Amino acid sequence: MEAVLQLESQILSLRMAIREGLTDEENAKLRLQELEVLDERRLEAQQHFECYQAQVSKAFNKKVHPCSFQMGYLILALRKAIVTTHKTKSKFTSKWDGPYVIQEIYTNGAYLIMAEDGLKIGPINGRFLKCYYP
């Protein structure tokens, strides 16, 4: 790190190089050294960024709990995911609708749910569902 600081103080603009009495070759060498130092700094920054991303993803994944349901489970579905056209009547109405029964399981976490009266609700993502405990 000290070598980098020394190089930075030595690297001069063309006007300053002429003023200091440096030849074009010496100035060109200093510029090449500066470029090499910049490549090293970029590599260090990239490594630091990758370590930071790994730490952030590890912290995020600690809080993620994968949830999977089996056929026949009783579940509640988020009301907004099912009915998006009408607004709720008051702020005290439940955000969850149900209970529903899981009819089919699709790939990528999608589920086909059915109401107790036999009405099938289209495929819904599993993140909008939670277990129902009577």
Side-chain angles (χ1 to χ4, degrees), residues 10-20 22 27 31:
Q10 292 176 357
I11 297 172
L12 306 171
S13 66
L14 181 59
R15 189 183 83 204
M16 293 301 292
I18 292 171
R19 187 174 175 192
E20 294 292 323
L22 293 176
N27 193 25
R31 295 283 181 186

Side-chain angles (χ1 to χ4, degrees), residues 65-69 111 126 129-131:
H65 300 288
C67 186
S68 63
F69 305 103
Y111 299 93
L129 303 175
K130 71 176 182 179
C131 284

Side-chain angles (χ1 to χ4, degrees), residues 5-6 26 32 35 46 49 56 59 65 84 107 113 117 122 124:
L5 293 176
Q6 289 175 353
E26 292 172 344
L32 286 175
L35 290 175
Q46 179 68 25
F49 180 68
V56 168
H65 300 288
T84 57
T107 57
I113 58 177
D117 62 353
I124 187 168

Side-chain angles (χ1 to χ4, degrees), residues 39-54:
D39 288 338
E40 291 174 9
R41 282 187 176 174
R42 285 187 187 118
L43 182 61
E44 288 175 9
Q46 179 68 25
Q47 290 172 348
H48 177 73
F49 180 68
E50 289 172 1
C51 289
Y52 173 73
Q53 279 187 328

Side-chain angles (χ1 to χ4, degrees), residues 74-124:
L74 289 175
I75 50 105
L76 296 174
L78 189 64
R79 184 181 302 264
K80 290 181 183 178
I82 294 173
V83 181
T84 57
T85 55
H86 73 84
K87 295 182 180 180
T88 57
K89 294 182 175 111
S90 77
K91 65 181 179 180
F92 297 111
T93 57
S94 176
K95 294 179 183 169
W96 297 94
D97 228 3
Y100 297 107
V101 178
I102 294 184
Q103 190 70 24
E104 281 186 57
I105 301 172
Y106 298 118
T107 57
N108 297 330
Y111 299 93
L112 180 67
I113 58 177
M114 183 174 69
E116 291 177 343
D117 62 353
L119 177 66
K120 287 189 180 181
I121 312 254
I124 187 168

